[in-house]
Amino acid sequence: MNKQTLPIQGATCQGCVKRIDAALGAVPGVTAVSVDLPGQRVTVSGDVSRQAVQEALVQSGYAADPVAADEPAPLAHTDQNQDIQLSISGAHCASCVRTIEDALGAVPGVTKASMNLADRSARVSGRARPDDLVRAVQSVGYQASEVRDPHTAEQEREEQERSLYKKLLGQTALSLAVGVPVMLWGWAGGSMTVVPGTPGQVAWFVVGLVTLAMLVFPGRHFFVGGWKAFRHHNANMVLPAAARHVYFEASPMIIGLVNLGLALEMRARGKTGAAVKRLLGLRAKTARVVRDGEEIDLPVEQVREGDRLRVRPGETLAVRKGPGDSVAAGTLNDSGTLIYRATRVGADTALARIIDLVKKAQGAKPPIGRLADSVAAVFVPAILLIAVSAALAWYNFGPNPPLA
């Protein structure tokens, strides 16, 4: 028994799949047929010649040229539309979302690009290559990688966010530990001015150094984000905060409260992904695969298309089926053991597709959401313009000294 793969053309629906399956199933010697509709190829197992399989495909209305069994369909993603999911890092606000979506939309071949800020992912439809999409995101100052396994990507994202959450809480505590005492000192009537030659001058110098440390360490990501935005001609809501004169409590308080807000937002965002987590929890972790007459337990990630799997009593399998019928996981095998062949693995399984649909629904934006993104895109530049105008007005028409 051998296994061979041939490309197909013109298959667009499940009806096409059934016709191909019926045409190839009627060829003497064919024992199994697996049609990869997105990849536009078909895999045939059995003692049958490639020429016989190709003739059957031609007669059914689908042209095919022979390719090696272990070769993938040549650049299938450049010949037809497909959905590509990217994991994004460095995005913090609606302005970031708009910048990333515009960058992805400008890639040749992209028909639609949308980003879900909640789970830091972007979904792109079209004929673009994943590498081109990653470079487009990097060109505007963010990081991206293609998501191949949603389960692994979700675990990595959770670990990163858990670590960042703890870091933000630590930065919040450190910043507020500096800002709150200075603020209370001012509220209590303490002097907030520097008098040269007095002990107060030394004290405020020390407070200034501590405030500088807060800007360098807990507030570092503000400056890094602001610099990236400046380099790529973007304006977002991650901009530096600075202190002047003796208003040293302002910077630590702003940094601490913003970091606290980011941490609370991250915690709330984790709860919104609970539905996807529960779906991911339904996935089987291992499968008993029959290879070369031996049964071995393997992680589901190592199951290959065409493998034969053993199902024992009490394990999940579809209801009442006979030889040659297709089955889907999710119901109970009452008695005896069964062997079935894996025709869809990984992202092609029914559960993986359900998870994909849920994530698409989470990332979909209603009209009010798109309006909010449009407003956010001009909000920060407008605020910066107003701030610069106010500073110039104070400098030229305000009281002396103008830089106080």
Side-chain angles (χ1 to χ4, degrees):
M1 180 181 295
N2 59 4
K3 181 179 179 181
Q4 48 192 323
T5 301
L6 295 90
I8 56 177
Q9 294 179 358
T12 57
C13 63
Q14 290 301 317
C16 301
V17 172
K18 291 181 179 179
R19 286 191 289 273
I20 294 173
D21 190 46
L24 296 180
V27 177
V30 172
T31 58
V33 178
S34 175
V35 180
D36 181 5
L37 191 60
Q40 289 290 285
R41 58 182 176 176
V42 60
T43 301
V44 180
S45 300
D47 296 327
V48 60
S49 67
R50 182 177 295 273
Q51 183 177 358
V53 175
Q54 185 175 350
E55 290 177 355
L57 282 172
V58 172
Q59 291 176 1
S60 64
Y62 302 93
D65 294 322
V67 294
D70 56 350
E71 291 182 356
L75 299 179
H77 63 271
T78 61
D79 298 329
Q80 62 177 5
N81 289 343
Q82 70 167 4
D83 283 346
I84 299 174
Q85 187 175 358
L86 301 175
S87 176
I88 306 294
S89 60
H92 301 281
C93 62
S95 179
C96 301
V97 171
R98 185 179 180 90
T99 300
I100 293 172
E101 289 180 346
D102 289 344
L104 292 173
V107 176
V110 172
T111 58
K112 182 181 179 182
S114 62
M115 178 179 171
N116 184 355
L117 185 61
D119 64 359
R120 300 297 196 272
S121 67
R123 186 176 298 276
V124 182
S125 299
R127 302 180 180 180
R129 297 175 181 270
D131 291 344
D132 294 338
L133 299 175
V134 170
R135 284 193 291 268
V137 174
Q138 293 174 344
S139 69
V140 292
Y142 303 93
Q143 297 299 317
S145 60
E146 183 184 4
V147 175
R148 299 183 181 274
D149 183 0
H151 183 59
T152 302
E154 187 71 16
Q155 287 182 330
E156 292 177 353
R157 186 182 67 83
E158 286 182 4
E159 292 176 0
Q160 292 175 356
E161 292 204 346
R162 192 180 301 114
S163 175
L164 182 56
Y165 176 73
K166 294 179 180 179
K167 181 179 179 180
L168 287 173
L169 288 182
Q171 292 176 342
T172 297
L174 187 60
S175 300
L176 295 182
V178 174
V180 170
V182 178
M183 181 185 66
L184 293 178
W185 169 261
W187 283 2
S191 175
M192 301 292 287
T193 58
V194 177
V195 180
T198 64
Q201 183 181 17
V202 178
W204 282 119
F205 178 75
V206 173
V207 173
L209 290 179
V210 175
T211 300
L212 178 62
M214 295 302 100
L215 294 173
V216 172
F217 296 104
R220 180 177 182 273
H221 61 94
F222 293 102
F223 292 92
V224 172
W227 173 245
K228 286 183 178 180
F230 175 77
R231 283 177 52 207
H232 298 283
H233 311 290
N234 297 325
N236 55 41
M237 296 185 184
V238 183
L239 295 174
R244 292 188 67 250
H245 199 45
V246 293
Y247 300 104
F248 292 134
E249 83 285 358
S251 289
M253 290 294 294
I254 292 173
I255 291 172
L257 293 177
V258 172
N259 283 339
L260 177 61
L262 292 174
L264 295 177
E265 177 191 1
M266 187 173 297
R267 181 180 179 183
R269 191 168 60 240
K271 294 181 179 179
T272 63
V276 175
K277 293 178 185 177
R278 286 194 292 269
L279 285 173
L280 289 171
L282 296 176
R283 296 181 56 179
K285 303 298 187 296
T286 61
R288 182 168 286 263
V289 181
V290 181
R291 289 180 181 171
D292 300 327
E294 297 183 359
E295 297 184 6
I296 53 177
D297 290 327
L298 294 176
V300 292
E301 292 82 5
Q302 298 181 16
V303 177
R304 300 191 298 263
E305 185 177 331
D307 278 343
R308 300 169 66 217
L309 291 84
R310 167 79 68 182
V311 180
R312 291 162 292 191
E315 296 181 344
T316 55
L317 189 70
V319 294
R320 301 185 182 277
K321 295 287 183 177
D325 290 338
S326 61
V327 297
T331 52
L332 193 64
N333 175 28
D334 290 332
S335 60
T337 65
L338 301 172
I339 295 180
Y340 66 98
R341 190 179 305 278
T343 57
R344 292 189 179 93
V345 296
D348 292 330
T349 61
L351 182 58
R353 293 180 180 182
I354 292 173
I355 295 172
D356 186 60
L357 290 174
V358 171
K359 288 192 172 184
K360 281 184 178 180
Q362 286 183 333
K365 294 181 182 178
I368 187 64
R370 291 191 291 270
L371 176 61
D373 289 348
S374 300
V375 172
V378 298
F379 174 77
V380 174
I383 294 300
L384 292 177
L385 182 60
I386 293 173
V388 171
S389 300
L392 292 176
W394 179 273
Y395 181 80
N396 290 282
F397 307 108
N400 290 320
L403 295 179

